[in-house]
Amino acid sequence: MHNCVSIGTGTLWNKLKLAPIFNAELNVRENRKLSMYSFSQTSVVCFNGSYSIPVPFSPPCLLPGPQPSDQYGTRASFGLTDQIDTSRWSAAVTSPPGYMVSLSICSPPDAPIGRWRLTLGQGGLVEFVLLYNPWCTGDVVYMDSEEKLAEYVLAQDGIIYRGSWKYLIPTPWNFGQFEDGILEACLRILEMNPKCLRNPGKDASGRKNPIYVSRVLSAMVNCNDDKGVLLGRWTDDYDGGVSPLSWKGSVEILRNWDTNACQPVRFGQCWVFAAVACSVSRALGIPCRVVTNYNSAHDTNSNLVIERYVDENGQLVQKSRDMIWNYHCWVENWMTRPDLKPGYDGWQAMDPTPQEKSEGVYCCGPIPLKAIKEGELTYKYDAPFVFAEVNADVHTFMKRKDGSTEKIISSVQVGLKISTKSVGSDRREDITHLYKYPEGSDEEREAFTKANHQNKLLQQQTNAGLLIAIKVSAEMKKGCDFDVFAVVTNNTPNGKKCRLVFGSRAVSYNGILGENCGFKDLLNVELAPGEEKRVPLRMNYSKYAENLTEDNLIRLGALLLDYGTQEAYLAVRNVVLENPEIKVRILGEPKENRKLVAEITLQNPLPVPLQNCCFTVEGSNLTGGQIITEKLNSTVEPGQDAKVKIYFTPTHSGQRKLVVDFDSNKLCHVKGYRNVIIGK
């Protein structure tokens, strides 16, 4: 029995769970309007907005969730009327007199989402699922653009940005919210949340509000307080699970959680948490997108300051829980905010990565982007934490061997190039302006004043006598040797004698430092007035290969000590080593239900052979909701191609993404994709 929900264009929305002899269709174009059709012992799918049931007929009664209650507004009884009333639960007869009665049933725009049971006296029982309806003008998640709805609700694949703010890496992701079993998993997330387990009736009533649902999802996508979906891991030890970089989509994660008694899936990091939250939000009808904030501050004590410490060699030492992540991903959900003053509807930041507790639970948001931009830190929810992620001040101190500390001159900005996928294309959209006013503007100062961000208000631009910066080569490919440069400039009228310490260490994307990848200590750097010097540091593959994490990141640090003034200057820069390109060639004419071949190729860029090579692919409406794996039996020598052919059969027309992952013993989790336009 193929039971489905249809959205306007005929896109399959999700499965409905029904009683044996009834079939329901949820038409979300009109007020989450419900239409059903059934007769005798045969069930069929109906797209005409009617439901037929044998007489005799009794007035219907609606019951959501496990404990329907008049107290919480989760029980509705109503009779037949001449016409549908879109403001409340209503039903009207739409068939001519006869043995069969055909009904149209409509829900109010603010009905709680989730599982409902419709009883018709002695006539039968139907179970159906009600979702938010962003096409309905009365719904709290209403969005008035068909192009945006296609992107933020219907799109089953997308792009998530990783890398660094100097080198953004677009990573494909299969959200798969309409794949088999995913709606069931999403509903189970709602039903397993601790609020539902404590008071099912009150929780079911709360689901009319996407603010409430977003906070539930933020908490339940991680498993820190509950039977949530994902367990986070930010080390290289992935025993008992898989590296977060191995995931290509949300489908496998949600299915694993749902079919394994709600045991957490191991392991996730920020982009995985965000992507799963995006899949669940879209499945429930909430417009959602994944965003990436580069140089993202993690402020643990709410003072809007990140304190960093270096030793006398310029190497960062961990003395504080405050961190600057190379990037951090969260999601934005679209909704109205009737709990706030007018003007704060629209995109709301919500973060499912477990970082700090909110009201005793590891969750964050939703908070209007406008509240962050305006410095309104008293607005719900978690405004100070998100404001700090994009606005915190960074203070750097040198910790000497004798235990003393002194502040050093360093220029580090947070909240750079906040990015998301553009509507209708794979291009990047920069949305930094939605979170921040231009630096130095009057509006920025006003926002900082509201937020009591005194450190930023007191900052003054100073023209330092000595300047230090880090420059890099045009190409920094994994497997190659390359140079990086510390550039020192003397802007004073006097000669300078300095010490320059220039080092590099592997680093994970969230700022955890690894081993040394190259180091240089120059005790006597002399600079004439106005002189600039470039000091190279060679990065050898033989040195960095074994120390590099899966993030392919190296942190460069250059510390300049002025012997004359005893002042210290620090420059820090993260560089991303470029992975090779995965090439995907489609053989055959792409059409619905016609087998296709993808020829996938990757050239080994390393000076060493690759062993245990494996390609995995997946794609919504392309691979049948499954992951296809193809292993190579032979070793791939330096410069040689790893090549496989993968067979798949598309099931729906339109543009789809075939997402590819390559893994081996020396080159891990290289990502690629190919857009495939499927004809009818």
Side-chain angles (χ1 to χ4, degrees):
M1 182 168 64
H2 189 56
N3 307 312
C4 64
V5 178
S6 171
I7 295 185
T9 59
T11 303
L12 292 183
W13 179 258
N14 272 302
K15 293 267 185 175
L16 294 175
K17 187 176 181 181
L18 308 172
I21 66 169
F22 293 102
N23 185 12
E25 181 198 34
L26 178 61
N27 184 334
V28 300
R29 278 287 189 179
E30 303 176 39
N31 286 60
R32 305 180 199 161
K33 185 176 178 181
L34 189 66
S35 54
M36 289 161 270
Y37 181 84
S38 178
F39 53 87
S40 186
Q41 295 296 318
T42 305
S43 296
V44 297
V45 176
C46 175
F47 294 94
N48 66 0
S50 63
Y51 167 71
S52 298
I53 183 170
V55 293
F57 174 75
S58 299
C61 178
L62 277 156
L63 311 166
Q67 294 183 11
S69 164
D70 292 325
Q71 175 189 358
Y72 293 118
T74 54
R75 181 197 303 268
S77 297
F78 52 94
L80 296 178
T81 56
D82 293 334
Q83 290 184 331
I84 288 293
D85 182 346
T86 59
S87 67
R88 60 185 180 88
W89 284 106
S90 59
V93 176
T94 58
S95 62
Y99 179 73
M100 303 291 292
V101 176
S102 180
L103 301 178
S104 275
I105 299 177
C106 187
S107 68
D110 61 349
I113 65 163
R115 304 180 198 271
W116 285 75
R117 287 173 289 143
L118 174 65
T119 62
L120 296 155
Q122 301 301 314
L125 171 70
V126 175
E127 293 184 3
F128 64 92
V129 174
L130 205 58
L131 306 172
Y132 291 110
N133 180 6
W135 280 265
C136 170
T137 55
D139 202 299
V140 284
V141 299
Y142 172 68
M143 181 176 269
D144 64 355
S145 165
E146 288 291 335
E147 292 78 13
K148 290 180 180 179
L149 286 164
E151 182 69 50
Y152 300 134
V153 180
L154 299 181
Q156 295 195 73
D157 47 49
I159 299 292
I160 299 173
Y161 290 92
R162 299 174 50 251
S164 74
W165 75 276
K166 290 277 192 179
Y167 185 77
L168 284 68
I169 299 176
T171 302
W173 192 268
N174 179 33
F175 295 112
Q177 66 268 30
F178 305 136
E179 294 286 3
D180 285 348
I182 298 306
L183 181 57
E184 286 291 322
C186 296
L187 294 173
R188 196 172 188 186
I189 288 172
L190 297 181
E191 292 157 3
M192 291 302 297
N193 96 80
K195 294 179 181 179
C196 181
L197 298 177
R198 285 195 298 267
N199 190 334
K202 185 177 181 181
D203 175 76
S205 176
R207 294 180 197 169
K208 67 179 65 175
N209 185 352
I211 303 169
Y212 177 84
V213 170
S214 292
R215 281 187 70 74
V216 168
L217 296 185
S218 176
M220 283 295 294
V221 169
N222 71 73
C223 68
N224 286 41
D225 309 287
D226 42 48
K227 285 185 170 291
V229 177
L230 277 162
L231 177 63
R233 179 64 57 87
W234 283 269
T235 67
D236 287 335
D237 177 15
Y238 301 124
D239 288 346
V242 298
S243 161
L245 276 170
S246 70
W247 304 114
K248 299 170 290 303
S250 307
V251 175
E252 184 181 11
I253 294 170
L254 289 167
R255 283 179 178 164
N256 285 351
W257 177 80
D258 189 38
T259 58
N260 288 289
C262 303
Q263 293 300 305
V265 178
R266 302 165 184 257
F267 294 100
Q269 291 177 0
C270 73
W271 73 93
V272 184
F273 286 106
V276 170
C278 184
S279 296
V280 178
S281 295
R282 290 183 183 182
L284 297 177
I286 304 174
C288 184
R289 63 187 184 184
V290 178
V291 302
T292 302
N293 176 42
Y294 289 95
N295 281 14
S296 188
H298 181 175
D299 179 21
T300 59
N301 56 12
S302 301
N303 67 348
L304 301 179
V305 175
I306 304 297
E307 295 183 347
R308 303 196 307 175
Y309 294 83
V310 299
D311 61 22
E312 291 179 89
N313 290 324
Q315 298 295 314
L316 286 168
V317 293
Q318 300 294 152
K319 189 179 178 181
S320 167
R321 287 184 60 231
D322 287 355
M323 301 283 287
I324 298 177
W325 292 32
N326 205 52
Y327 64 87
H328 181 51
C329 299
W330 57 76
V331 296
E332 294 171 2
N333 284 353
W334 181 271
M335 66 190 73
T336 61
R337 290 301 299 263
D339 58 321
L340 304 176
K341 68 181 183 181
Y344 289 84
D345 300 340
W347 290 118
Q348 317 282 318
M350 186 265 279
D351 192 348
T353 300
Q355 297 180 91
E356 301 296 325
K357 287 189 174 184
S358 171
E359 297 181 340
V361 177
Y362 279 101
C363 67
C364 180
I367 178 69
L369 270 55
K370 184 179 178 181
I372 301 304
K373 187 173 183 176
E374 300 294 343
E376 300 283 6
L377 302 195
T378 61
Y379 283 20
K380 291 183 176 181
Y381 289 87
D382 308 306
F385 185 80
V386 180
F387 183 87
E389 288 183 302
V390 300
N391 284 306
D393 195 21
V394 181
H395 293 176
T396 306
F397 300 88
M398 180 188 294
K399 183 175 176 59
R400 298 191 179 275
K401 293 178 181 177
D402 62 7
S404 63
T405 60
E406 64 178 83
K407 191 173 183 179
I408 62 178
I409 300 170
S410 178
S411 177
V412 178
Q413 289 181 296
V414 303
L416 302 175
K417 289 188 178 178
I418 305 175
S419 304
T420 191
K421 178 185 176 296
S422 293
V423 173
S425 82
D426 289 343
R427 293 191 301 272
R428 183 183 74 92
E429 180 182 355
D430 193 306
I431 57 171
T432 308
H433 65 282
L434 299 181
Y435 285 84
K436 310 168 69 168
Y437 284 107
E439 187 172 354
S441 66
D442 291 341
E443 293 88 350
E444 182 196 49
R445 292 189 64 82
E446 185 177 346
F448 287 161
T449 300
K450 286 183 187 176
N452 196 27
H453 197 356
Q454 298 300 322
N455 291 289
K456 285 285 190 180
L457 288 169
L458 295 174
Q459 273 186 6
Q460 295 181 352
Q461 294 293 330
T462 58
N463 295 318
L466 288 173
L467 294 177
I468 185 163
I470 296 173
K471 304 293 184 182
V472 299
S473 302
E475 286 192 343
M476 295 176 289
K477 295 184 177 181
K478 189 172 183 179
C480 297
D481 300 341
F482 57 91
D483 288 320
V484 294
F485 304 89
V487 181
V488 184
T489 307
N490 179 12
N491 288 326
T492 73
N494 305 312
K496 291 287 186 179
K497 179 179 275 191
C498 307
R499 177 190 177 194
L500 174 64
V501 183
F502 193 11
S504 62
R505 292 175 70 176
V507 64
S508 62
Y509 87 97
N510 65 327
I512 302 297
L513 292 170
E515 296 300 317
N516 173 41
C517 296
F519 182 79
K520 181 177 286 187
D521 189 353
L522 303 179
L523 296 176
N524 292 291
V525 177
E526 296 188 359
L527 295 164
E531 184 180 5
E532 176 184 288
K533 282 190 175 179
R534 293 168 64 91
V535 179
L537 179 65
R538 189 69 171 169
M539 305 301 298
N540 295 304
Y541 175 76
S542 59
K543 178 72 173 178
Y544 69 71
E546 298 303 321
N547 297 329
L548 209 59
T549 71
E550 290 182 331
D551 297 308
N552 281 1
L553 283 167
I554 296 176
R555 172 163 292 175
L556 307 173
L559 178 67
L560 187 69
L561 300 170
D562 184 341
Y563 287 131
T565 64
Q566 295 301 306
E567 288 184 316
Y569 305 80
L570 178 69
V572 176
R573 179 169 177 175
N574 291 345
V575 297
V576 184
L577 303 193
E578 185 180 351
N579 272 326
E581 178 187 5
I582 293 178
K583 296 180 180 179
V584 182
R585 191 161 68 104
I586 303 298
L587 308 179
E589 184 181 3
K591 285 195 172 183
E592 283 184 1
N593 302 313
R594 178 182 292 180
K595 182 176 284 189
L596 287 177
V597 180
E599 184 181 80
I600 306 174
T601 308
L602 176 142
Q603 186 180 64
N604 178 10
L606 306 184
V608 296
L610 300 180
Q611 297 176 340
N612 305 321
C613 298
C614 177
F615 287 94
T616 55
V617 304
E618 67 175 285
S620 290
N621 305 134
L622 293 178
T623 60
Q626 304 300 316
I627 295 173
I628 302 174
T629 301
E630 193 70 33
K631 296 182 179 180
L632 278 70
N633 296 322
S634 58
T635 297
V636 180
E637 298 296 330
Q640 287 188 346
D641 286 343
K643 182 183 291 187
V644 297
K645 287 184 178 179
I646 289 179
Y647 298 84
F648 61 98
T649 303
T651 56
H652 291 79
S653 61
Q655 180 172 293
R656 311 292 172 188
K657 274 186 173 59
L658 189 68
V659 181
V660 184
D661 177 89
F662 173 83
D663 197 24
S664 69
N665 65 325
K666 295 290 185 180
L667 190 62
C668 300
H669 301 303
V670 181
K671 306 293 183 183
Y673 72 97
R674 172 69 183 265
N675 287 329
V676 186
I677 299 176
I678 308 299
K680 291 186 177 180

